Amino acid sequence: MDWQAHRRDAHSLGRTQEFLKQIIYGGNDGIVTTFAIVAGFAGASADGVLQIGGLAVLVFGLANLFADAVSMGLGEFLSLRSQHDLYRKRRQSELREIAENPDHERMELFEILRQRGVPAGEADTAAELLSRHPSIMADLMMTYEFGMSHPEDDSPALSGFFTFLSFVVFGAVPLLPYFVMEPTPQAFWWSVATTFGALTALGLLRWNATGEPIARSVGETILVGAVCAVVAYGVGLVVAG
């Protein structure tokens, strides 16, 4: 059975849910990273110490946007590839341990089942049956002993792409006012507003995918972005002073 197709068709699991971590992580980091450039410049020029042109904001902002987006995307790709390699190595070791010391591994599985509320008699029977199928037993041990899920359906390339795309799409939002306005304080406050809108949209996307309370999904997303923005603006003020 094609389990990816089954999850999409039978359980309405779309791309947003599949790559939610990458979208939220890339989107939030993109917004914060780009707005940090805007806020840092605004803080540095708040008292007229530095006069930063709109072109400079765009150059620094876009350079950081795409450089960090590529870094994030490739980082996600390499991270997931490393997880795949680690899973395969650990699973091979687990299969070897099952073959060389089956009684010990069967006892470990028995304890795992007991800790999850399976009665002793049933846990013993289940462990005995599963020990006859080393591949299935190894998968269970990987999940419950090592806390590692099977990476078969995870695509490092797609995960990296979604991280990159989310970073660019959401990270470009704080720069939009500087494409159409002069670099005045008004442009900065428009950037604040668009950043708030992007964080809100990201929070709503998270809410739609997870079904968690909307106040929590949106509130946490905005709070994280706001803290980072305040820090960036404060650093600009300190440097200017």
Side-chain angles (χ1 to χ4, degrees):
M1 178 181 287
D2 185 341
W3 289 107
Q4 282 188 316
H6 172 74
R7 288 194 293 270
R8 287 194 296 268
D9 298 338
H11 301 288
S12 301
L13 182 65
R15 287 296 190 186
T16 302
Q17 286 87 352
E18 278 190 76
F19 295 99
L20 182 64
K21 179 180 82 72
Q22 289 80 8
I23 293 171
I24 298 300
Y25 181 46
N28 186 78
D29 207 35
I31 295 168
V32 169
T33 297
T34 310
F35 184 73
I37 300 296
V38 175
F41 280 150
S45 60
D47 295 322
V49 177
L50 296 175
Q51 296 299 322
I52 306 296
L55 181 60
V57 175
L58 289 176
V59 168
F60 278 95
L62 290 173
N64 275 271
L65 176 66
F66 284 96
D68 287 349
V70 171
S71 176
M72 290 277 292
L74 292 177
E76 177 68 16
F77 171 79
L78 292 175
S79 175
L80 200 52
R81 279 287 292 270
S82 299
Q83 289 179 20
H84 286 201
D85 294 340
L86 178 61
Y87 182 94
R88 284 191 290 267
K89 182 178 180 180
R90 181 62 258 177
R91 189 175 184 275
Q92 289 173 356
S93 177
E94 190 65 23
L95 283 168
R96 187 166 55 252
E97 290 174 9
I98 291 172
E100 295 174 355
N101 196 353
D103 291 338
H104 176 75
E105 294 300 311
R106 185 169 60 248
M107 193 63 189
E108 283 188 352
L109 182 57
F110 169 80
E111 290 296 333
I112 287 172
L113 294 172
R114 285 283 294 116
Q115 289 176 2
R116 279 158 178 76
V118 180
E122 295 179 12
D124 185 59
T125 301
E128 175 64 31
L129 289 172
L130 289 168
S131 65
R132 302 173 193 172
H133 305 277
S135 182
I136 298 175
M137 184 176 179
D139 288 340
L140 287 171
M141 298 296 281
M142 290 299 295
T143 299
Y144 294 114
E145 183 179 5
F146 297 102
M148 300 175 69
S149 58
H150 200 296
E152 181 181 15
D153 294 332
D154 294 334
S155 168
L158 272 178
S159 294
F161 172 74
F162 271 90
T163 301
F164 168 83
L165 186 63
S166 181
F167 193 103
V168 170
V169 170
F170 284 96
V173 173
L175 293 175
L176 293 179
Y178 290 89
F179 279 100
V180 297
M181 300 176 64
E182 293 295 323
T184 61
Q186 184 181 11
F188 170 70
W189 288 113
W190 272 110
S191 181
V192 171
T194 56
T195 297
F196 177 82
L199 289 169
T200 301
L202 195 62
L204 290 171
L205 185 64
R206 176 186 170 193
W207 163 72
N208 182 64
T210 64
E212 293 293 326
I214 188 170
R216 174 188 168 189
S217 296
V218 176
E220 287 181 347
T221 306
I222 292 175
L223 179 62
V224 169
V227 169
C228 295
V230 169
V231 169
Y233 187 80
V235 170
L237 285 175
V238 171
V239 171

